[in-house]
Amino acid sequence: MLSMASMQGFKPLPQSNAPPSASHSAAPPAQRAPQQLRTPSNRKTIYDRNLNRTRTAELSRASFAYLFSEMVSYAQKRVTGIQDLERRLNEQGYPLGLRLLPLLLYREPARTSVRPNRILPLLQFIHGPLWRHLFGRTADAIEHSSSANNEYMISDNEPLVNQYISVPKEMNQLNCAAYVAGIIEGVCDGCGLKAGVSAHNAGTEMWPGKTVFLIRFEEGVVEREGLLEGKR
């Protein structure tokens, strides 16, 4: 049966009750017209939408829980251990961080929409605008390691990504917030401050699901930071 799209290029022929003559050859079969991309009636696509239009939109937790659980299940296939699974979750979050950085800077007021090029402003950007965009609140703390000059920590007492994940006992060291660590790493690299980010369980009696995101900046970033501090 021909579709309506394939019939648009044909004109109706006059019908006859007489049987076709034997000398006439059969008509070749009609070919289906190639399908084309559908566009809305107003000719606008998602790329024409104002970036500020959905800045206050929220995703239901049920939808998020389902999508994230499917992402974890997909990442769990063909892994060799917990570290391999966390690495794959990190790799899934990294591209999102690279894309969120210019979007959030675009939505900031003109006087503050500057790409962070120092460590402290970058950490404040992650702690504030990035966390509010992802989770509707700021992170709980920013700390600087006393033993390593290039290590910083951002704490979240109740990571949303861990609230709907059931971790078996044999994998109790797994922290699915490695996905968020990948987002943070993407933001750091997008600002030109190369760093490695990992998520670690740091539960307490009050906050059993507390997670610490350990940010290790490369030595070149710390050296440049020291030079900039010396010029002040």
Side-chain angles (χ1 to χ4, degrees):
M1 181 180 293
L2 295 178
S3 64
M4 294 299 296
S6 62
M7 295 176 62
Q8 291 179 358
F10 296 87
K11 296 181 180 180
L13 297 176
Q15 298 182 0
S16 173
N17 295 329
S21 173
S23 60
H24 292 170
S25 60
Q31 295 183 354
R32 185 183 298 270
Q35 295 183 355
Q36 297 180 353
L37 291 176
R38 294 183 178 180
T39 56
S41 58
N42 58 4
R43 297 296 177 181
K44 291 186 178 181
T45 65
I46 190 175
Y47 300 105
D48 299 309
R49 184 183 303 172
N50 192 328
L51 292 177
N52 287 325
R53 180 177 177 182
T54 56
R55 63 182 304 172
T56 58
E58 294 183 356
L59 177 69
S60 68
R61 290 198 173 190
S63 300
F64 169 79
Y66 174 75
L67 291 174
F68 188 70
S69 64
E70 289 297 312
M71 292 173 58
V72 174
S73 299
Y74 177 79
Q76 195 174 0
K77 297 177 180 177
R78 297 183 299 275
V79 296
T80 58
I82 295 177
Q83 292 183 350
D84 192 20
L85 176 56
E86 290 183 344
R87 178 187 58 81
R88 295 190 67 175
L89 290 172
N90 185 291
E91 291 175 351
Q92 289 180 359
Y94 181 84
L96 179 59
L98 290 175
R99 288 165 174 77
L100 276 178
L101 176 62
L103 174 63
L104 295 179
L105 291 176
Y106 173 81
R107 289 177 174 175
E108 287 290 304
R111 57 185 176 84
T112 59
S113 61
V114 179
R115 188 182 298 264
N117 57 5
R118 302 283 299 275
I119 292 180
L120 184 57
L122 172 62
L123 295 176
Q124 292 173 342
F125 176 81
I126 296 171
H127 174 273
L130 177 64
W131 232 257
R132 279 195 298 267
H133 176 78
L134 294 174
F135 309 115
R137 59 178 177 82
T138 60
D140 293 296
I142 303 177
E143 302 175 74
H144 187 194
S145 175
S146 57
S147 57
N149 194 35
N150 66 328
E151 293 184 356
Y152 294 81
M153 292 170 285
I154 294 180
S155 302
D156 192 330
N157 294 334
E158 291 181 314
L160 180 63
V161 293
N162 288 343
Q163 291 183 15
Y164 304 100
I165 299 296
S166 178
V167 180
K169 292 183 179 180
E170 62 272 14
M171 300 178 66
N172 58 357
Q173 295 181 351
L174 172 66
N175 194 323
C176 293
Y179 176 75
V180 182
I183 297 176
I184 298 174
E185 187 171 337
V187 171
C188 292
D189 289 2
C191 291
L193 304 176
K194 295 287 186 178
V197 186
S198 55
H200 303 272
N201 296 316
T204 62
E205 184 176 356
M206 180 176 294
W207 304 107
K210 180 178 180 179
T211 294
V212 171
F213 298 94
L214 180 61
I215 306 175
R216 292 189 179 94
F217 290 99
E218 294 184 356
E219 292 298 331
V221 175
V222 178
E223 292 176 3
R224 185 173 69 89
E225 189 76 11
L227 294 175
L228 294 175
E229 286 289 341
K231 292 180 179 180
R232 295 181 59 181

